[in-house]
Amino acid sequence: MNLSLKNIKFMKQMMMRKVVYSLIPLVLAGIYFFGWRVLALLIVVNFFGCATEWVFVRKTTKKITEAVFVTNVLFTLTLPPSTPYWIAIIGIIFGVLFGKMVFGGFGKNPFNPALVGRAFIYVNFPEFLTLHWTKPVGGLLGGFTSYLGENIDAVTQSTPMLIFRASGDQLPLTKLLFGNIGGSIGETSAILIILAAIYLIYTKTAAKETIFSVITGFLVMSGVFYIAGFEQVLNPIYGLFAGGLLFGAVFMATDPISSPKTFEARIVYGLLIGAITVIIRSFALFAGGIMFAILIGNTFAPIMDEAVKSIKNSRKAKEVKNG
């Protein structure tokens, strides 16, 4: 295998570049909060993610897609900062391989590759993704002066979702907005995610109906349970900014390949993801339900599109018959 730079060619995809641009502030914030290990982890993941796709296209006329960079960055941002490199490598190889390449490559994958990879290591190596968290680095320069922040041993000082599950306590909303909390690298700062969403919507890179329907489904379902008195259900507004809901809604659910193509199906798709997230968060073993909710939504996305098309065709046939 001759993996030299002259043999590597990338397919230019402007839409994917825009997604990468929107993720740069989150990467910088990750370094600021947790240290330079975030960048090191990102470099390692990008190398093995690109190499995995290259293995499949090296003897064909196809090129490595720039979409793989989106997969690599998103996957990295869903990891705790202290995730061992070998686990990250296994995750990204599995995600690119079984989440995309085995289905024929870019444009044919039914599931979000980044989430496929994360779900795989989440299930197989749960300790490293649910118990090992990093305390944000303090000071003016934050993590830019450190390799990695201090480890957090106590569950009651870890992530917003785990803190609520362990003690029922809730962190100040200001911490959730600015990101000065423990958690996965890219899921901590709600403000940066919201700014990225505005950019992606403005540039027509992400479907706004998907983003808003995920949020709506989450708020409605959590609101119903919260008002009904279920103690394990978070306040809807607090839950919106905790646990990666916004990150998943903006960057994962809007994946143009694994999400529905029709407007109506996107609405149903988003509402389904939002509602399932609440159920998994509140009544299942997993604190972060958005990952599994999106993968479930991916499963039904093609069916939703077909249902919408069938209904529209049926209506047209009736109009022609009655006209």
Side-chain angles (χ1 to χ4, degrees), residues 30-203:
I31 297 173
Y32 173 79
F33 288 126
F34 303 115
W36 286 106
R37 193 179 192 279
V38 169
L39 180 60
L41 192 63
L42 182 62
I43 292 173
V44 170
V45 168
N46 266 284
F47 176 82
F48 282 93
C50 291
T52 302
E53 184 163 327
W54 177 82
V55 167
F56 279 82
V57 303
R58 72 188 192 282
K59 293 185 177 180
T60 69
T61 57
K62 297 180 180 180
K63 301 177 181 179
I64 302 174
T65 60
E66 292 185 343
V68 74
F69 289 110
V70 175
T71 297
N72 297 335
V73 178
L74 287 177
F75 173 78
T76 304
L77 292 177
T78 64
L79 302 176
S82 61
T83 302
Y85 291 113
W86 64 272
I87 289 181
I89 292 171
I90 291 174
I92 193 60
I93 291 176
F94 187 91
V96 174
L97 176 59
F98 292 101
K100 183 167 76 170
M101 302 314 296
V102 296
F103 294 104
F106 177 77
K108 300 178 181 179
N109 51 290
F111 300 101
N112 185 303
L115 287 181
V116 170
R118 192 184 193 279
F120 179 76
I121 60 175
Y122 187 93
V123 172
N124 288 280
F125 310 104
E127 178 183 350
F128 297 98
L129 274 74
T130 59
L131 296 179
H132 294 231
W133 302 101
T134 303
K135 182 179 180 181
V137 180
L140 180 62
L141 296 178
F144 288 106
T145 62
S146 174
Y147 174 68
L148 181 65
E150 297 179 13
N151 290 332
I152 299 175
D153 296 324
V155 175
T156 54
Q157 297 178 0
S158 53
T159 70
M161 289 301 302
L162 292 177
I163 290 172
F164 177 78
R165 282 197 165 197
S167 63
D169 295 333
Q170 298 182 18
L171 298 174
L173 277 177
T174 52
K175 283 194 171 185
L176 300 184
L177 290 172
F178 290 101
N180 190 26
I181 55 175
S184 298
I185 296 169
E187 299 176 349
T188 56
S189 178
I191 287 180
L192 289 180
I193 296 173
I194 292 172
L195 291 176
I198 294 172
Y199 169 76
L200 292 174
I201 292 173
Y202 177 76
T203 57

Side-chain angles (χ1 to χ4, degrees), residues 110-111 258-260 269-270 272-273 276 290-304:
F111 300 101
S258 58
S259 62
Y269 169 79
L272 178 68
I273 290 173
I276 292 176
I290 185 67
M291 171 178 63
F292 294 106
I294 293 174
L295 290 174
I296 292 172
N298 290 163
T299 303
F300 293 99
I303 300 175
M304 294 177 186

